[in-house]
Amino acid sequence: MHRMQMFPATGRGAAMRMLMNSGRTYKQGEQLYYKESPEYSEQTSLCFINPIDLFKLEIEEGGNVEIETATGTTVFRTVASYDLVPGEIFLPCGPYANFILPPCTHSTGAPDFKTLEVEIRPTERERVSAWDLLETEGGLRYDLPSEGCPTRSPEGDKTVTDVLCPLCGCVCDDIELKIRDNRIVSCENGCLLCSAKFLAKNRLISPIRKTAAGWKKISYEEAIRYTADVLVEAERPLLFGWSGTYGEAQCIGVSIAELIGGVIDNCSSECHGPSIMAIQEVGHPGCTLGQVKNRADVVIYWGSNPIASHPRHMSRYSTYTDGFFLDNSFMNRTVIVFDVRKTETAKIADEFVRIKSGGDYAVFSALRAIIQGKGDVIPETVAGVKKEELVRIAGIMLQAKFGTFFTGIGLTQSRGKYKNVRNAIELVDELNRHTKYTLTPMRGHWNVYGTNQTFTYMTGYPYAVDFAHGVAYYNPGETSAIDMLSRKEVDACIIIGSDPGAHFPRACNEHLATIPTIVIDPFPVMSTAIATVHIPVAMTGVDAEGAAYRMDAVPLWMKKVMEPTQPNDASVLRRLYDAINERKRTSEMTANNAVIIDSAGPVNSEMMHVPLSDGKIVEPGRADDWER
Amino acid sequence: MMHVILEVKKQKNPHIPIEAEEIIPENFVNPGKELSIWRGNRQVPLEEIFDIQIEGTASSAMEIEVVITGGSGRIKRVGEYMEAGTIRIEGDIGMHCGNFMSGGSIEIKGNADAWLGREMRGGTITCHGNAGDYCGSGYRGEKRGMRGGTIEVFGNAGDFTAETLTGGTIIVHGNVGDLSGAEMKGGILTIHGNASRVCGNMTGGTCTVYGTVTDMLPTFRKGDTQERNDTGIALTEFTGDVANRGHGRLIVHSFTRA
Ligand code: SF4
């Protein structure tokens, strides 16, 4: 079916051109481990819009709109919000926003999740489900009823304290879990995102393979053999994800990439990779979150909305927490938020500076000049902010005894990408001539910083590492996942600990759906739809353990609270590594194997001609022999 | 004089990138030399990718012209580290064409992908079509980019054109993308079309925009020469980037503020 025909234009009010920003919402975050549910579709197909624009479109709140870009069109439900300025809309990140997102990254690795021009018009048509979108992209839905949760508690019912939360970059370490009948039944201290993840039980039990007749269960053996075969044959394999798994598994991943001459990339390439590129240019004036907690009297969130993305960040490390060197911390800390919309965080901040979408770079430059005493060159307004306002805010910044910047994906995913962060660091540099300032990127996934740490100590580079020539080469924009997929150069892909099906631009998923794609994840995810094989694993922090790095690079040990009945990421990868080695030893590249690559067709179920084993299906959940 | 004609063969999977840093005139002085290139993660002989035709003889690279024809839009690193001779590309060329080149010339009839002439030291590159992002730029984290030579683009050039330009000349006859001339330290960047947010954090060099700069950065000081008439176009001179304590020259025809 031609993509555009799926959504014919209808409507009453005139179409309007607007600027689109997409990002995290609390409700979207809560549904991250329930992506197969209608609620996930509901929460990611909303369009937040100023009532003035609703009026112009001649629709009521709750009415549907079609949003169109050069890449595609899809239907959203409107939600009125005064937090946005007229002319700008906000979409929760997920498959809907990404369905219309062009894959262009301006050769930086991160696409324009923010500041994207779109056309919006009212429509009578209904929204489709997230699975529908994935099927339009060439996938096959996986909506079989869940077979439950494979965890075991040999000690019986218990309460576990000081558990680490495997969700966001805060990696809170004070979670209390109650376990009854081999399942987690309650989660204390964590935020809602944390409970949602710990209480999620809709795990995938057995490896599955896509066939012309639908999903079919296969054994772990078969899944590994298939994956090894695919990787050995591939000329441009990509191993993507890694931020949802622990350091030990990431290290094996790097070894696999080296063994197969592949590219290994992690989620930073689309989130905080630009922050790292900036750090490579001008350094990282960082500190641990403990320093911020105990010392910072000015806290600046720039392009970050922790209430939605890192819900306990403010209470554990900044705004609301007691500081050892700071009397009456709550009263004596000044919180400043810079953003394009009045986020939940902006509403509780002491100062909120609204910047025109895409104007951050100019504002950083202006602040730097003002702090140098060269405010005379600055024009009356900069990106929608009045000069007096900037002068006043610069004054507050300079008053700080210890100030800190937390920078979010509002900077890394908008126009200018890493140059925004670079300019932020240069501002910190300027402020450090007067007082003490630091900057910490608000890393998203619990172990996304870990990927940068492990990749760097193994390869010298933090992400987007290309081993095609046997040595590590790094160049985001060239060797980063979104760019490689949109150029269709990848001919086999492993996705682990990430969900590009939900978070990559549509063109990338369309390509993944034509090549052998293997997903390694505890849950059925959106990427399952575009995969040929999905291998379920134990979930880190519940029935698997390993090292993670918090957003300030402090390494922490993610404990397990129960025993697994499934292999963990590291054991699957180790088996894969061995299988690839074995395969390389025993067989030269034979013409017969080249078939795998040749058969790239529109549906990747056609790509399953890999010689399979006896086809014996291992009883789901029986993986005991793995660990030995 | 020697002509080496490399015609790209039809590839089974035309999307797999090919890295051909061995395609430089120097390498054809001895026609018996075995050359190899990379197709994805496979190292293959040059003949596997190209039909090769060699006419004439040469005693040095200066006497060699390499002509690439056919679908070369995915072939990267052609002319990398070249020192002398000529490369002529009849169609499009992939990323990193002319990286680090220090002499000789490259002519591209079609479009060039990103990183054209990255960290170039000398020689000339002429691109008749458009150039991608990072034309004449540096490498990640590197303080200095292109240091010498000339790049002339007759079409448009992408974002971050002339990033960290330190020496040499880049001329773009069309428009350039966002943040071109960022962190410029020296050299000359001339843009005959439009640009946006040019020369952020520039510390030296001269950039002239004969078209309109959109979202002009707020940290450039209007210089002594307020208006001047050069080639019939009114130009205003700025110095900056003030935010970076820079003394670069930014000369623009007209501009809008963010
Ligand atoms: S703030 Fe982040 S790490 Fe802490 S409980 Fe919530 S999701 Fe987990």
Side-chain angles (χ1 to χ4, degrees):
Chain A
M1 189 194 330
H2 191 274
R3 320 285 186 216
M4 302 295 278
Q5 283 165 5
M6 191 175 163
F7 306 109
T10 57
R12 27 194 172 179
M16 282 167 50
R17 293 209 71 81
M18 297 182 75
L19 273 187
M20 179 271 257
N21 289 308
S22 67
R24 295 290 298 271
T25 68
Y26 200 84
K27 294 258 183 214
Q28 168 261 334
E30 228 181 334
Q31 295 302 323
L32 279 176
Y33 296 89
Y34 304 85
K35 287 192 183 128
E36 74 292 351
S37 73
E39 185 60 15
Y40 178 70
S41 292
E42 170 66 30
Q43 290 303 336
T44 51
S45 61
L46 301 177
C47 166
F48 295 87
I49 183 167
N50 189 291
I52 293 173
D53 291 325
L54 280 177
F55 181 77
K56 284 192 195 155
L57 287 167
E58 296 171 33
I59 49 170
E60 303 269 320
E61 173 173 20
N64 285 358
V65 287
E66 264 174 7
I67 303 181
E68 183 173 345
T69 64
T71 303
T73 309
T74 189
V75 178
F76 290 80
R77 185 165 72 82
T78 53
V79 179
S81 167
Y82 283 104
D83 304 343
L84 290 145
V85 289
E88 291 188 9
I89 54 169
F90 179 79
L91 307 178
C93 58
Y96 295 83
N98 292 334
F99 195 75
I100 54 173
L101 177 68
C104 169
T105 74
H106 308 267
S107 303
T108 63
D112 296 327
F113 289 108
K114 328 273 185 213
T115 337
L116 182 70
E117 234 187 81
V118 299
E119 187 164 302
I120 176 165
R121 64 181 89 87
T123 181
E124 303 287 343
R125 289 180 319 103
E126 288 305 318
R127 289 171 291 169
V128 295
S129 77
W131 288 126
D132 291 333
L133 290 180
L134 265 293
E135 288 198 339
T136 310
E137 292 170 355
L140 173 68
R141 69 186 63 215
Y142 180 81
D143 54 2
L144 301 178
S146 166
E147 292 178 327
C149 184
T151 49
R152 253 175 343 118
S153 173
E155 300 119 46
D157 296 351
K158 59 180 178 181
T159 300
V160 197
T161 54
D162 299 333
V163 179
L164 282 83
C165 169
L167 198 124
C168 83
C170 291
V171 198
C172 298
D173 52 6
D174 58 347
I175 312 298
E176 192 176 307
L177 300 175
K178 278 205 178 60
I179 291 159
R180 298 274 174 282
D181 302 329
N182 299 312
R183 301 288 178 268
I184 296 170
V185 292
S186 88
C187 170
E188 301 288 330
N189 296 346
C191 64
L192 279 180
L193 306 187
C194 163
S195 323
K197 181 164 185 182
F198 274 121
L199 297 175
K201 297 188 182 66
N202 44 341
R203 300 252 297 254
L204 188 65
I205 302 297
S206 154
I208 50 171
R209 195 184 104 195
K210 190 189 278 168
T211 68
W215 293 102
K216 173 176 175 285
K217 281 184 188 167
I218 56 170
S219 68
Y220 277 98
E221 279 301 327
E222 213 173 291
I224 294 288
R225 189 162 26 232
Y226 166 77
T227 310
D229 286 350
V230 157
L231 291 181
V232 169
E233 296 312 322
E235 292 193 346
R236 197 68 175 146
L238 168 69
L239 312 178
F240 179 79
W242 307 101
S243 63
T245 184
Y246 46 95
E248 294 76 357
Q250 292 162 357
C251 292
I252 304 171
V254 172
S255 302
I256 294 176
E258 191 174 4
L259 188 65
I260 59 170
V263 174
I264 186 161
D265 190 16
N266 55 58
C267 307
S268 19
S269 70
E270 61 158 349
C271 65
H272 274 289
S275 302
I276 298 174
M277 287 161 69
I279 287 166
Q280 286 168 334
E281 289 188 353
V282 284
H284 183 196
C287 68
T288 60
L289 293 171
Q291 295 288 335
V292 175
K293 170 184 185 289
N294 288 320
R295 296 176 193 272
D297 53 352
V298 172
V299 177
I300 298 157
Y301 288 100
W302 198 309
S304 168
N305 179 18
I307 291 189
S309 58
H310 302 73
R312 297 179 73 207
H313 193 268
M314 299 181 92
S315 57
R316 275 175 65 85
Y317 307 117
S318 72
T319 323
Y320 299 118
T321 173
D322 286 336
F324 189 78
F325 300 108
L326 203 64
D327 286 336
N328 199 2
S329 335
F330 175 54
M331 297 305 291
N332 289 330
R333 268 194 238 268
T334 307
V335 177
I336 311 175
V337 169
F338 289 82
D339 213 306
V340 297
R341 63 191 176 106
K342 191 158 189 182
T343 59
E344 295 86 339
T345 311
K347 285 176 194 158
I348 55 171
D350 300 290
E351 299 283 349
F352 167 52
V353 183
R354 192 196 293 270
I355 298 179
K356 240 199 245 168
S357 196
D360 306 88
Y361 189 93
V363 174
F364 285 122
S365 292
L367 285 168
R368 288 170 63 201
I370 290 167
I371 289 164
Q372 282 175 40
K374 295 175 189 154
D376 59 308
V377 291
I378 306 299
E380 278 320 300
T381 60
V382 177
V385 190
K386 289 216 163 56
K387 183 174 166 180
E388 312 94 87
E389 178 77 348
L390 288 173
V391 170
R392 192 177 63 80
I393 296 284
I396 300 175
M397 286 178 177
L398 284 168
Q399 295 282 302
K401 286 201 190 66
F402 186 112
T404 197
F405 283 79
F406 288 112
T407 52
I409 50 178
L411 291 181
T412 61
Q413 295 180 340
S414 65
R415 208 161 72 102
K417 313 270 157 64
Y418 68 117
K419 294 295 184 193
N420 296 330
V421 185
R422 180 194 165 122
N423 228 359
I425 296 174
E426 302 248 28
L427 171 60
V428 169
D429 184 41
E430 198 62 57
L431 286 162
N432 269 320
R433 294 176 184 226
H434 303 273
T435 175
K436 175 73 191 162
Y437 262 86
T438 65
L439 180 146
T440 303
M442 294 285 281
R443 306 307 305 266
H445 290 175
W446 58 279
N447 197 23
V448 64
Y449 207 173
T451 62
N452 304 132
Q453 299 283 338
T454 52
F455 283 27
T456 306
Y457 74 66
M458 292 197 61
T459 74
Y461 299 112
Y463 66 102
V465 187
D466 181 358
F467 280 105
H469 298 198
V471 291
Y473 169 69
Y474 158 83
N475 191 20
E478 179 183 8
T479 58
S480 42
I482 290 176
D483 301 271
M484 290 177 65
L485 289 168
S486 65
R487 286 195 299 266
K488 299 186 172 36
E489 61 185 69
V490 178
D491 58 358
C493 186
I494 291 199
I495 294 166
I496 175 166
S498 169
D499 192 6
H503 297 291
F504 269 11
R506 161 202 192 153
C508 299
N509 292 333
E510 284 171 349
H511 181 63
L512 283 169
T514 65
I515 58 168
T517 299
I518 297 96
V519 169
I520 303 176
D521 201 287
F523 295 91
V525 285
M526 289 285 115
S527 305
T528 309
I530 46 173
T532 43
V533 162
H534 183 142
I535 306 174
V537 281
M539 176 177 149
T540 314
V542 173
D543 48 354
E545 59 189 350
Y549 289 78
R550 204 167 66 181
M551 64 161 72
D552 55 352
V554 169
L556 297 164
W557 185 255
M558 309 297 292
K559 307 195 258 195
K560 60 179 175 184
V561 295
M562 278 186 284
E563 288 306 313
T565 56
Q566 289 175 316
N568 56 39
D569 292 308
S571 63
V572 165
L573 292 167
R574 211 171 292 125
R575 283 289 285 266
L576 183 56
Y577 183 87
D578 292 342
I580 293 167
N581 250 333
E582 182 69 15
R583 176 84 163 65
K584 283 192 125 173
R585 259 199 304 274
T586 52
S587 78
E588 294 295 323
M589 265 223 295
T590 56
N592 132 43
N593 292 318
V595 169
I596 308 167
I597 308 302
D598 280 351
S599 61
V603 178
N604 54 6
S605 59
E606 290 169 19
M607 316 269 318
M608 308 301 298
H609 308 309
V610 185
L612 291 166
S613 67
D614 44 352
K616 186 178 77 200
I617 294 173
V618 169
E619 202 189 313
R622 281 292 312 283
D624 312 28
D625 56 335
W626 275 76
E627 300 305 325
R628 279 176 216 138
Chain B
M1 201 55 201
M2 180 198 262
H3 296 276
V4 179
I5 298 158
L6 303 174
E7 190 184 342
V8 183
K9 291 183 182 172
K10 209 168 156 17
Q11 300 297 311
K12 214 161 52 177
N13 179 347
H15 302 296
I16 303 277
I18 291 166
E19 302 204 25
E21 61 270 32
E22 298 208 349
I23 302 185
I24 49 173
E26 287 93 308
N27 278 341
F28 294 94
V29 176
N30 166 12
K33 186 171 175 185
E34 278 188 21
L35 300 178
S36 65
I37 58 184
W38 291 86
R39 185 185 63 222
N41 55 15
R42 307 291 202 269
Q43 196 166 18
V44 296
L46 195 63
E47 306 81 81
E48 196 168 323
I49 308 292
F50 296 97
D51 283 320
I52 307 167
Q53 234 181 297
I54 297 181
E55 295 159 5
T57 54
S59 57
S60 78
M62 260 166 8
E63 296 164 22
I64 298 177
E65 182 188 51
V66 178
V67 181
I68 300 177
T69 65
S72 50
R74 281 298 168 97
I75 303 184
K76 302 183 197 177
R77 297 181 190 279
V78 168
E80 185 170 271
Y81 288 107
M82 104 180 222
E83 291 170 357
T86 308
I87 298 180
R88 204 172 76 221
I89 296 145
E90 296 292 336
D92 298 342
I93 195 68
M95 294 174 184
H96 301 288
C97 177
N99 274 5
F100 305 103
M101 82 185 258
S102 55
S105 67
I106 299 179
E107 185 183 0
I108 303 151
K109 295 277 176 65
N111 302 325
D113 209 334
W115 290 283
L116 175 66
R118 186 192 103 198
E119 293 173 82
M120 181 176 175
R121 314 290 162 105
T124 54
I125 298 179
T126 312
C127 173
H128 294 276
N130 300 326
D133 300 323
Y134 291 101
C135 170
S137 74
Y139 178 61
R140 304 299 183 196
E142 209 55 79
K143 296 247 183 292
R144 296 195 292 161
M146 178 171 163
R147 297 169 202 190
T150 305
I151 300 179
E152 184 163 14
V153 179
F154 285 92
N156 302 325
D159 291 352
F160 310 108
T161 291
E163 181 207 37
T164 58
L165 178 68
T166 305
T169 304
I170 300 177
I171 304 159
V172 181
H173 291 272
N175 304 326
V176 293
D178 195 28
L179 287 169
S180 292
E183 288 104 35
M184 236 179 106
K185 290 172 173 60
I188 296 165
L189 170 62
T190 305
I191 300 152
H192 289 275
N194 303 325
S196 80
R197 304 200 288 180
V198 269
C199 295
N201 279 332
M202 104 190 281
T203 48
T206 303
C207 170
T208 311
V209 185
Y210 288 97
T212 301
V213 177
T214 44
D215 294 350
M216 171 93 172
L217 293 170
T219 43
F220 281 84
R221 191 184 292 282
K222 263 197 181 170
D224 299 335
T225 336
Q226 292 287 321
E227 294 271 330
R228 76 173 195 204
N229 215 311
D230 198 40
T231 60
I233 299 170
L235 294 169
T236 310
E237 182 166 337
F238 293 84
T239 50
D241 184 340
V242 167
N244 221 31
R245 299 176 171 78
H247 299 287
R249 295 172 69 211
L250 172 59
I251 303 160
V252 306
H253 169 55
S254 62
F255 66 90
T256 64
R257 292 277 191 202

